[in-house]
Amino acid sequence: MTAASLDHPARVVVVGTGPAGVRAAQALVQAGLRPVVIDEGRRDGGQIYRRQPEGFKRPYAKLYGSEAAKAQALHHDFDALRAQLDYRPDTLAWNLSEGELHVVREGEPQTLPFDALLVCSGATDRLMPVPGWQRAGCYSLGASQIALKAQACAIGARVVFLGSGPLLYLVASQYVQAGAQVAAVLDTAPAAKPWRAVARLFARPRLALRGLALIRGLRRAGVPVLQGVTPLRIDGDDSLGVQAVAVRDAQGAEQRFECDAVGLGWHLRAETQLADLARCEFAFEPVSRQWLPRIDVDGRSSTRGVYLAGDGVRILGADGAEAAGRLAALAALADLGHASGRALYDAESAVLRRTLAQMDRFREGLARAFPWPHAQAAALPDDAVVCRCEAVTAGELRRCVSEMDSREVNRAKAFSRVGMGRCQGRFCGHASAEIVAQACGIPVEEVGRLRTQAPVKPLMMNTREVAL
Ligand SMILES: Cc1cc2nc3c(=O)[nH]c(=O)nc-3n(C[C@H](O)[C@H](O)[C@H](O)COP(=O)(O)OP(=O)(O)OC[C@H]3O[C@@H](n4cnc5c(N)ncnc54)[C@H](O)[C@@H]3O)c2cc1C
């Protein structure tokens, strides 16, 4: 579709006001458009540059640390754009049909027709079940950080962080700095990193060194940091919630850390549901063992008019999200036949692509240095709860394979209800696939991925009396 073929000004909708969405909106406004920009959050900023609630007055340096200047720049730029946008906060995109985005705000449904849709939906935690993780007091790393950033609260008085990836060390360090007691940081990734990981991590040397400094800082603060652990269980009971985390250390000995809260997370997973509902093609990525939407170098998906940018398609981090958001918006303008957008695209796309390629190298380094512990997920004991929403255990999933020949995750879902609850498989989907694949004795890519169903997240609908 080109501008010449449109009988109305181009209707462009941006989902998300994190770094990717803000930079996409900025590029569209620069080209003279007035895009609709929605976000389910009350305030802009997205995850990393999440704004504190009205009335909170913590300074930028305290809230965002080394990223304070970038946070301030993004907030300032978005504030300056506001009058030129049709900005709709508190608005959830819950479904998509051809050329229309379905949203809901304060219980009221609306349909937003679009000529181009930029999905900048960000990421959430990638979680692996641990026996006992259904107990009260277990949070994701992201939730632990949000509690601190948004509300200045810790998730407990004595916290264990378990998982892998940079966020593990970052959130633990933020807790230490905030004065919380961190009982241990337990990383499933081995301390020795493969050379292919190290080479790629040094695509962004400053960031790699900052990560090492976080680990050193935690150790200096007296926090036990164990690498190469195998999670065994989260101990506790129904009335008190979590009480301790037990792991097998790299030497094979069992270690137990008492606590009243646990933060879990294995890096991040892209929020790809809208891309799935838009019928974008996905491809399996072996290095991170997950299915991701296919995009070209500029962010075009396989579905005409749908562009994907930021952590919602590849976890490139906040700087990468800013570049990807701008590039995808310029690509959309060029595809719409927009003259000044085309000029910006021609002038900037090569540099933006180079930036993104460098960040993608770093992303691959992270995936190799902090691998998803798929063998641990596949080996979960039969009584471990995998799907917390529907209380489905690893044993039930294995029975779907042995008794009902479920060699595909959506079939296992139909028989067991795994992934049918509130989270719609966003947190149990990856582990479920590993369990089914291992039980079938086939590679994980052959069991497929849980298909997205609308609504992508629980939503509130106003109910009115209907006159009969
Ligand atoms: C929990 C968490 C904590 C993180 N902490 C750090 C950190 O401390 N340091 C760091 O360097 N990186 C951190 N990251 C990574 C960093 O946040 C991202 O790299 C960066 O924010 C990506 O920008 P983005 O614009 O792609 O997505 P985001 O910043 O995540 O923004 C996405 C936006 O889309 C909105 N959205 C999503 N789906 C919908 C929908 N269906 N309808 C309406 N709106 C929707 C969300 O509300 C959100 O505002 C964190 C990521 C997560 C998930």
PDB file of all heavy atoms in Angstrom, residues 358-389:
ATOM      1  N   GLN A 358      25.414  -4.915  15.434  1.00  0.00           N
ATOM      2  CA  GLN A 358      26.380  -5.013  16.538  1.00  0.00           C
ATOM      3  C   GLN A 358      25.664  -5.476  17.817  1.00  0.00           C
ATOM      4  O   GLN A 358      26.155  -6.320  18.563  1.00  0.00           O
ATOM      5  CB  GLN A 358      27.015  -3.632  16.741  1.00  0.00           C
ATOM      6  CG  GLN A 358      28.106  -3.607  17.782  1.00  0.00           C
ATOM      7  CD  GLN A 358      28.439  -2.173  18.192  1.00  0.00           C
ATOM      8  OE1 GLN A 358      27.703  -1.235  17.873  1.00  0.00           O
ATOM      9  NE2 GLN A 358      29.524  -2.019  18.915  1.00  0.00           N
ATOM     10  N   MET A 359      24.477  -4.944  18.022  1.00  0.00           N
ATOM     11  CA  MET A 359      23.728  -5.315  19.229  1.00  0.00           C
ATOM     12  C   MET A 359      23.244  -6.756  19.157  1.00  0.00           C
ATOM     13  O   MET A 359      23.132  -7.433  20.168  1.00  0.00           O
ATOM     14  CB  MET A 359      22.577  -4.360  19.437  1.00  0.00           C
ATOM     15  CG  MET A 359      23.144  -3.001  19.784  1.00  0.00           C
ATOM     16  SD  MET A 359      21.917  -1.811  20.142  1.00  0.00           S
ATOM     17  CE  MET A 359      22.981  -0.447  20.589  1.00  0.00           C
ATOM     18  N   ASP A 360      22.977  -7.209  17.949  1.00  0.00           N
ATOM     19  CA  ASP A 360      22.539  -8.586  17.801  1.00  0.00           C
ATOM     20  C   ASP A 360      23.685  -9.553  18.112  1.00  0.00           C
ATOM     21  O   ASP A 360      23.464 -10.639  18.641  1.00  0.00           O
ATOM     22  CB  ASP A 360      21.993  -8.823  16.386  1.00  0.00           C
ATOM     23  CG  ASP A 360      21.009  -9.980  16.375  1.00  0.00           C
ATOM     24  OD1 ASP A 360      20.232 -10.090  17.347  1.00  0.00           O
ATOM     25  OD2 ASP A 360      21.042 -10.789  15.437  1.00  0.00           O
ATOM     26  N   ARG A 361      24.906  -9.145  17.801  1.00  0.00           N
ATOM     27  CA  ARG A 361      26.078  -9.970  18.153  1.00  0.00           C
ATOM     28  C   ARG A 361      26.152 -10.120  19.676  1.00  0.00           C
ATOM     29  O   ARG A 361      26.388 -11.189  20.202  1.00  0.00           O
ATOM     30  CB  ARG A 361      27.357  -9.263  17.671  1.00  0.00           C
ATOM     31  CG  ARG A 361      28.053  -9.929  16.523  1.00  0.00           C
ATOM     32  CD  ARG A 361      29.268  -9.114  16.117  1.00  0.00           C
ATOM     33  NE  ARG A 361      30.527  -9.593  16.715  1.00  0.00           N
ATOM     34  CZ  ARG A 361      31.093 -10.734  16.426  1.00  0.00           C
ATOM     35  NH1 ARG A 361      30.546 -11.557  15.575  1.00  0.00           N
ATOM     36  NH2 ARG A 361      32.238 -11.079  17.003  1.00  0.00           N
ATOM     37  N   PHE A 362      25.948  -9.004  20.345  1.00  0.00           N
ATOM     38  CA  PHE A 362      25.994  -9.005  21.813  1.00  0.00           C
ATOM     39  C   PHE A 362      24.878  -9.897  22.369  1.00  0.00           C
ATOM     40  O   PHE A 362      25.088 -10.691  23.285  1.00  0.00           O
ATOM     41  CB  PHE A 362      25.840  -7.567  22.315  1.00  0.00           C
ATOM     42  CG  PHE A 362      25.943  -7.429  23.809  1.00  0.00           C
ATOM     43  CD1 PHE A 362      27.167  -7.491  24.441  1.00  0.00           C
ATOM     44  CD2 PHE A 362      24.805  -7.233  24.592  1.00  0.00           C
ATOM     45  CE1 PHE A 362      27.270  -7.367  25.823  1.00  0.00           C
ATOM     46  CE2 PHE A 362      24.896  -7.112  25.960  1.00  0.00           C
ATOM     47  CZ  PHE A 362      26.128  -7.175  26.584  1.00  0.00           C
ATOM     48  N   ARG A 363      23.696  -9.777  21.762  1.00  0.00           N
ATOM     49  CA  ARG A 363      22.562 -10.606  22.213  1.00  0.00           C
ATOM     50  C   ARG A 363      22.911 -12.092  22.111  1.00  0.00           C
ATOM     51  O   ARG A 363      22.644 -12.880  23.011  1.00  0.00           O
ATOM     52  CB  ARG A 363      21.336 -10.300  21.337  1.00  0.00           C
ATOM     53  CG  ARG A 363      20.127 -11.162  21.625  1.00  0.00           C
ATOM     54  CD  ARG A 363      19.007 -10.867  20.656  1.00  0.00           C
ATOM     55  NE  ARG A 363      19.218 -11.457  19.353  1.00  0.00           N
ATOM     56  CZ  ARG A 363      18.774 -12.654  18.980  1.00  0.00           C
ATOM     57  NH1 ARG A 363      18.111 -13.401  19.827  1.00  0.00           N
ATOM     58  NH2 ARG A 363      19.000 -13.113  17.773  1.00  0.00           N
ATOM     59  N   GLU A 364      23.556 -12.463  21.008  1.00  0.00           N
ATOM     60  CA  GLU A 364      23.910 -13.869  20.838  1.00  0.00           C
ATOM     61  C   GLU A 364      24.943 -14.284  21.885  1.00  0.00           C
ATOM     62  O   GLU A 364      24.900 -15.398  22.426  1.00  0.00           O
ATOM     63  CB  GLU A 364      24.452 -14.087  19.424  1.00  0.00           C
ATOM     64  CG  GLU A 364      24.433 -15.554  19.044  1.00  0.00           C
ATOM     65  CD  GLU A 364      25.256 -15.840  17.800  1.00  0.00           C
ATOM     66  OE1 GLU A 364      25.172 -15.062  16.835  1.00  0.00           O
ATOM     67  OE2 GLU A 364      25.978 -16.860  17.821  1.00  0.00           O
ATOM     68  N   GLY A 365      25.860 -13.350  22.198  1.00  0.00           N
ATOM     69  CA  GLY A 365      26.848 -13.631  23.243  1.00  0.00           C
ATOM     70  C   GLY A 365      26.169 -13.913  24.577  1.00  0.00           C
ATOM     71  O   GLY A 365      26.522 -14.855  25.293  1.00  0.00           O
ATOM     72  N   LEU A 366      25.163 -13.097  24.903  1.00  0.00           N
ATOM     73  CA  LEU A 366      24.440 -13.303  26.173  1.00  0.00           C
ATOM     74  C   LEU A 366      23.746 -14.668  26.183  1.00  0.00           C
ATOM     75  O   LEU A 366      23.772 -15.383  27.194  1.00  0.00           O
ATOM     76  CB  LEU A 366      23.384 -12.211  26.369  1.00  0.00           C
ATOM     77  CG  LEU A 366      23.876 -10.824  26.778  1.00  0.00           C
ATOM     78  CD1 LEU A 366      22.692  -9.877  26.919  1.00  0.00           C
ATOM     79  CD2 LEU A 366      24.672 -10.862  28.078  1.00  0.00           C
ATOM     80  N   ALA A 367      23.134 -15.018  25.043  1.00  0.00           N
ATOM     81  CA  ALA A 367      22.408 -16.299  24.989  1.00  0.00           C
ATOM     82  C   ALA A 367      23.368 -17.466  25.183  1.00  0.00           C
ATOM     83  O   ALA A 367      23.002 -18.502  25.752  1.00  0.00           O
ATOM     84  CB  ALA A 367      21.672 -16.416  23.652  1.00  0.00           C
ATOM     85  N   ARG A 368      24.620 -17.309  24.726  1.00  0.00           N
ATOM     86  CA  ARG A 368      25.593 -18.391  24.894  1.00  0.00           C
ATOM     87  C   ARG A 368      26.213 -18.377  26.290  1.00  0.00           C
ATOM     88  O   ARG A 368      26.521 -19.421  26.850  1.00  0.00           O
ATOM     89  CB  ARG A 368      26.714 -18.268  23.860  1.00  0.00           C
ATOM     90  CG  ARG A 368      26.258 -18.564  22.453  1.00  0.00           C
ATOM     91  CD  ARG A 368      27.430 -18.445  21.468  1.00  0.00           C
ATOM     92  NE  ARG A 368      26.941 -18.501  20.106  1.00  0.00           N
ATOM     93  CZ  ARG A 368      26.628 -19.626  19.455  1.00  0.00           C
ATOM     94  NH1 ARG A 368      26.786 -20.794  20.062  1.00  0.00           N
ATOM     95  NH2 ARG A 368      26.178 -19.579  18.228  1.00  0.00           N
ATOM     96  N   ALA A 369      26.418 -17.176  26.834  1.00  0.00           N
ATOM     97  CA  ALA A 369      27.067 -17.071  28.152  1.00  0.00           C
ATOM     98  C   ALA A 369      26.113 -17.459  29.279  1.00  0.00           C
ATOM     99  O   ALA A 369      26.530 -17.964  30.317  1.00  0.00           O
ATOM    100  CB  ALA A 369      27.566 -15.644  28.364  1.00  0.00           C
ATOM    101  N   PHE A 370      24.818 -17.179  29.085  1.00  0.00           N
ATOM    102  CA  PHE A 370      23.805 -17.469  30.121  1.00  0.00           C
ATOM    103  C   PHE A 370      22.718 -18.324  29.485  1.00  0.00           C
ATOM    104  O   PHE A 370      21.589 -17.869  29.281  1.00  0.00           O
ATOM    105  CB  PHE A 370      23.202 -16.165  30.660  1.00  0.00           C
ATOM    106  CG  PHE A 370      24.225 -15.210  31.226  1.00  0.00           C
ATOM    107  CD1 PHE A 370      24.696 -14.138  30.467  1.00  0.00           C
ATOM    108  CD2 PHE A 370      24.727 -15.372  32.504  1.00  0.00           C
ATOM    109  CE1 PHE A 370      25.630 -13.262  30.980  1.00  0.00           C
ATOM    110  CE2 PHE A 370      25.665 -14.495  33.030  1.00  0.00           C
ATOM    111  CZ  PHE A 370      26.118 -13.438  32.261  1.00  0.00           C
ATOM    112  N   PRO A 371      23.045 -19.588  29.146  1.00  0.00           N
ATOM    113  CA  PRO A 371      22.089 -20.364  28.352  1.00  0.00           C
ATOM    114  C   PRO A 371      20.830 -20.735  29.127  1.00  0.00           C
ATOM    115  O   PRO A 371      20.854 -20.873  30.354  1.00  0.00           O
ATOM    116  CB  PRO A 371      22.885 -21.621  27.980  1.00  0.00           C
ATOM    117  CG  PRO A 371      23.969 -21.711  29.012  1.00  0.00           C
ATOM    118  CD  PRO A 371      24.276 -20.320  29.457  1.00  0.00           C
ATOM    119  N   TRP A 372      19.752 -20.847  28.385  1.00  0.00           N
ATOM    120  CA  TRP A 372      18.490 -21.384  28.930  1.00  0.00           C
ATOM    121  C   TRP A 372      18.776 -22.827  29.344  1.00  0.00           C
ATOM    122  O   TRP A 372      19.204 -23.638  28.504  1.00  0.00           O
ATOM    123  CB  TRP A 372      17.442 -21.285  27.832  1.00  0.00           C
ATOM    124  CG  TRP A 372      16.203 -22.111  27.952  1.00  0.00           C
ATOM    125  CD1 TRP A 372      15.825 -23.135  27.125  1.00  0.00           C
ATOM    126  CD2 TRP A 372      15.142 -21.963  28.900  1.00  0.00           C
ATOM    127  NE1 TRP A 372      14.604 -23.629  27.501  1.00  0.00           N
ATOM    128  CE2 TRP A 372      14.162 -22.932  28.595  1.00  0.00           C
ATOM    129  CE3 TRP A 372      14.926 -21.118  29.977  1.00  0.00           C
ATOM    130  CZ2 TRP A 372      12.980 -23.069  29.318  1.00  0.00           C
ATOM    131  CZ3 TRP A 372      13.758 -21.255  30.712  1.00  0.00           C
ATOM    132  CH2 TRP A 372      12.797 -22.215  30.375  1.00  0.00           C
ATOM    133  N   PRO A 373      18.578 -23.196  30.608  1.00  0.00           N
ATOM    134  CA  PRO A 373      18.971 -24.540  31.071  1.00  0.00           C
ATOM    135  C   PRO A 373      17.935 -25.591  30.669  1.00  0.00           C
ATOM    136  O   PRO A 373      17.214 -26.127  31.509  1.00  0.00           O
ATOM    137  CB  PRO A 373      19.076 -24.369  32.589  1.00  0.00           C
ATOM    138  CG  PRO A 373      18.160 -23.244  32.911  1.00  0.00           C
ATOM    139  CD  PRO A 373      18.038 -22.372  31.698  1.00  0.00           C
ATOM    140  N   HIS A 374      17.895 -25.890  29.385  1.00  0.00           N
ATOM    141  CA  HIS A 374      16.804 -26.719  28.853  1.00  0.00           C
ATOM    142  C   HIS A 374      16.807 -28.121  29.442  1.00  0.00           C
ATOM    143  O   HIS A 374      15.754 -28.716  29.659  1.00  0.00           O
ATOM    144  CB  HIS A 374      16.872 -26.754  27.324  1.00  0.00           C
ATOM    145  CG  HIS A 374      18.133 -27.341  26.787  1.00  0.00           C
ATOM    146  ND1 HIS A 374      18.256 -28.659  26.502  1.00  0.00           N
ATOM    147  CD2 HIS A 374      19.329 -26.773  26.513  1.00  0.00           C
ATOM    148  CE1 HIS A 374      19.487 -28.886  26.049  1.00  0.00           C
ATOM    149  NE2 HIS A 374      20.150 -27.761  26.054  1.00  0.00           N
ATOM    150  N   ALA A 375      18.022 -28.649  29.739  1.00  0.00           N
ATOM    151  CA  ALA A 375      18.069 -30.018  30.265  1.00  0.00           C
ATOM    152  C   ALA A 375      17.444 -30.037  31.674  1.00  0.00           C
ATOM    153  O   ALA A 375      16.774 -31.003  32.057  1.00  0.00           O
ATOM    154  CB  ALA A 375      19.505 -30.516  30.305  1.00  0.00           C
ATOM    155  N   GLN A 376      17.661 -28.960  32.430  1.00  0.00           N
ATOM    156  CA  GLN A 376      17.070 -28.893  33.773  1.00  0.00           C
ATOM    157  C   GLN A 376      15.545 -28.779  33.681  1.00  0.00           C
ATOM    158  O   GLN A 376      14.823 -29.378  34.473  1.00  0.00           O
ATOM    159  CB  GLN A 376      17.639 -27.699  34.548  1.00  0.00           C
ATOM    160  CG  GLN A 376      19.130 -27.851  34.826  1.00  0.00           C
ATOM    161  CD  GLN A 376      19.719 -26.644  35.551  1.00  0.00           C
ATOM    162  OE1 GLN A 376      19.011 -25.762  35.998  1.00  0.00           O
ATOM    163  NE2 GLN A 376      21.032 -26.624  35.668  1.00  0.00           N
ATOM    164  N   ALA A 377      15.085 -28.016  32.715  1.00  0.00           N
ATOM    165  CA  ALA A 377      13.624 -27.886  32.534  1.00  0.00           C
ATOM    166  C   ALA A 377      13.044 -29.246  32.162  1.00  0.00           C
ATOM    167  O   ALA A 377      12.013 -29.673  32.703  1.00  0.00           O
ATOM    168  CB  ALA A 377      13.313 -26.852  31.455  1.00  0.00           C
ATOM    169  N   ALA A 378      13.709 -29.942  31.243  1.00  0.00           N
ATOM    170  CA  ALA A 378      13.178 -31.233  30.766  1.00  0.00           C
ATOM    171  C   ALA A 378      13.190 -32.282  31.880  1.00  0.00           C
ATOM    172  O   ALA A 378      12.384 -33.211  31.868  1.00  0.00           O
ATOM    173  CB  ALA A 378      14.006 -31.713  29.583  1.00  0.00           C
ATOM    174  N   ALA A 379      14.121 -32.117  32.853  1.00  0.00           N
ATOM    175  CA  ALA A 379      14.279 -33.150  33.894  1.00  0.00           C
ATOM    176  C   ALA A 379      13.466 -32.847  35.152  1.00  0.00           C
ATOM    177  O   ALA A 379      13.665 -33.502  36.193  1.00  0.00           O
ATOM    178  CB  ALA A 379      15.767 -33.262  34.252  1.00  0.00           C
ATOM    179  N   LEU A 380      12.552 -31.905  35.098  1.00  0.00           N
ATOM    180  CA  LEU A 380      11.770 -31.579  36.308  1.00  0.00           C
ATOM    181  C   LEU A 380      11.059 -32.828  36.840  1.00  0.00           C
ATOM    182  O   LEU A 380      10.544 -33.623  36.040  1.00  0.00           O
ATOM    183  CB  LEU A 380      10.719 -30.517  35.970  1.00  0.00           C
ATOM    184  CG  LEU A 380      11.217 -29.079  35.941  1.00  0.00           C
ATOM    185  CD1 LEU A 380      10.193 -28.188  35.239  1.00  0.00           C
ATOM    186  CD2 LEU A 380      11.479 -28.575  37.349  1.00  0.00           C
ATOM    187  N   PRO A 381      11.020 -33.018  38.163  1.00  0.00           N
ATOM    188  CA  PRO A 381      10.328 -34.197  38.694  1.00  0.00           C
ATOM    189  C   PRO A 381       8.836 -34.180  38.351  1.00  0.00           C
ATOM    190  O   PRO A 381       8.259 -33.107  38.134  1.00  0.00           O
ATOM    191  CB  PRO A 381      10.539 -34.097  40.210  1.00  0.00           C
ATOM    192  CG  PRO A 381      11.081 -32.746  40.473  1.00  0.00           C
ATOM    193  CD  PRO A 381      11.628 -32.191  39.197  1.00  0.00           C
ATOM    194  N   ASP A 382       8.236 -35.374  38.315  1.00  0.00           N
ATOM    195  CA  ASP A 382       6.833 -35.489  37.893  1.00  0.00           C
ATOM    196  C   ASP A 382       5.889 -34.606  38.705  1.00  0.00           C
ATOM    197  O   ASP A 382       4.898 -34.105  38.189  1.00  0.00           O
ATOM    198  CB  ASP A 382       6.370 -36.951  38.012  1.00  0.00           C
ATOM    199  CG  ASP A 382       6.703 -37.736  36.753  1.00  0.00           C
ATOM    200  OD1 ASP A 382       7.101 -37.111  35.753  1.00  0.00           O
ATOM    201  OD2 ASP A 382       6.582 -38.975  36.790  1.00  0.00           O
ATOM    202  N   ASP A 383       6.185 -34.419  40.001  1.00  0.00           N
ATOM    203  CA  ASP A 383       5.222 -33.666  40.822  1.00  0.00           C
ATOM    204  C   ASP A 383       5.475 -32.150  40.792  1.00  0.00           C
ATOM    205  O   ASP A 383       4.773 -31.386  41.456  1.00  0.00           O
ATOM    206  CB  ASP A 383       5.200 -34.192  42.268  1.00  0.00           C
ATOM    207  CG  ASP A 383       6.559 -34.070  42.937  1.00  0.00           C
ATOM    208  OD1 ASP A 383       7.529 -33.649  42.256  1.00  0.00           O
ATOM    209  OD2 ASP A 383       6.658 -34.400  44.130  1.00  0.00           O
ATOM    210  N   ALA A 384       6.454 -31.692  40.012  1.00  0.00           N
ATOM    211  CA  ALA A 384       6.705 -30.235  39.945  1.00  0.00           C
ATOM    212  C   ALA A 384       5.590 -29.569  39.138  1.00  0.00           C
ATOM    213  O   ALA A 384       5.239 -30.021  38.047  1.00  0.00           O
ATOM    214  CB  ALA A 384       8.046 -29.967  39.273  1.00  0.00           C
ATOM    215  N   VAL A 385       5.073 -28.466  39.695  1.00  0.00           N
ATOM    216  CA  VAL A 385       4.056 -27.696  38.965  1.00  0.00           C
ATOM    217  C   VAL A 385       4.760 -26.928  37.844  1.00  0.00           C
ATOM    218  O   VAL A 385       5.723 -26.212  38.091  1.00  0.00           O
ATOM    219  CB  VAL A 385       3.329 -26.719  39.911  1.00  0.00           C
ATOM    220  CG1 VAL A 385       2.442 -25.756  39.132  1.00  0.00           C
ATOM    221  CG2 VAL A 385       2.515 -27.486  40.940  1.00  0.00           C
ATOM    222  N   VAL A 386       4.283 -27.094  36.625  1.00  0.00           N
ATOM    223  CA  VAL A 386       4.869 -26.381  35.484  1.00  0.00           C
ATOM    224  C   VAL A 386       4.018 -25.144  35.177  1.00  0.00           C
ATOM    225  O   VAL A 386       4.517 -24.042  35.047  1.00  0.00           O
ATOM    226  CB  VAL A 386       4.934 -27.304  34.244  1.00  0.00           C
ATOM    227  CG1 VAL A 386       5.442 -26.535  33.031  1.00  0.00           C
ATOM    228  CG2 VAL A 386       5.850 -28.489  34.530  1.00  0.00           C
ATOM    229  N   CYS A 387       2.706 -25.354  35.069  1.00  0.00           N
ATOM    230  CA  CYS A 387       1.790 -24.247  34.771  1.00  0.00           C
ATOM    231  C   CYS A 387       1.147 -23.827  36.088  1.00  0.00           C
ATOM    232  O   CYS A 387       0.360 -24.585  36.670  1.00  0.00           O
ATOM    233  CB  CYS A 387       0.754 -24.735  33.764  1.00  0.00           C
ATOM    234  SG  CYS A 387      -0.658 -23.642  33.546  1.00  0.00           S
ATOM    235  N   ARG A 388       1.536 -22.638  36.564  1.00  0.00           N
ATOM    236  CA  ARG A 388       1.010 -22.213  37.877  1.00  0.00           C
ATOM    237  C   ARG A 388      -0.447 -21.799  37.775  1.00  0.00           C
ATOM    238  O   ARG A 388      -1.202 -21.942  38.728  1.00  0.00           O
ATOM    239  CB  ARG A 388       1.835 -21.037  38.429  1.00  0.00           C
ATOM    240  CG  ARG A 388       3.282 -21.377  38.650  1.00  0.00           C
ATOM    241  CD  ARG A 388       3.975 -20.536  39.682  1.00  0.00           C
ATOM    242  NE  ARG A 388       3.773 -19.108  39.581  1.00  0.00           N
ATOM    243  CZ  ARG A 388       4.361 -18.229  40.382  1.00  0.00           C
ATOM    244  NH1 ARG A 388       5.175 -18.640  41.343  1.00  0.00           N
ATOM    245  NH2 ARG A 388       4.147 -16.946  40.246  1.00  0.00           N
ATOM    246  N   CYS A 389      -0.859 -21.267  36.615  1.00  0.00           N
ATOM    247  CA  CYS A 389      -2.251 -20.807  36.483  1.00  0.00           C
ATOM    248  C   CYS A 389      -3.225 -21.979  36.600  1.00  0.00           C
ATOM    249  O   CYS A 389      -4.268 -21.881  37.237  1.00  0.00           O
ATOM    250  CB  CYS A 389      -2.465 -20.129  35.147  1.00  0.00           C
ATOM    251  SG  CYS A 389      -1.354 -18.778  34.779  1.00  0.00           S
TER     252      CYS A 389
END
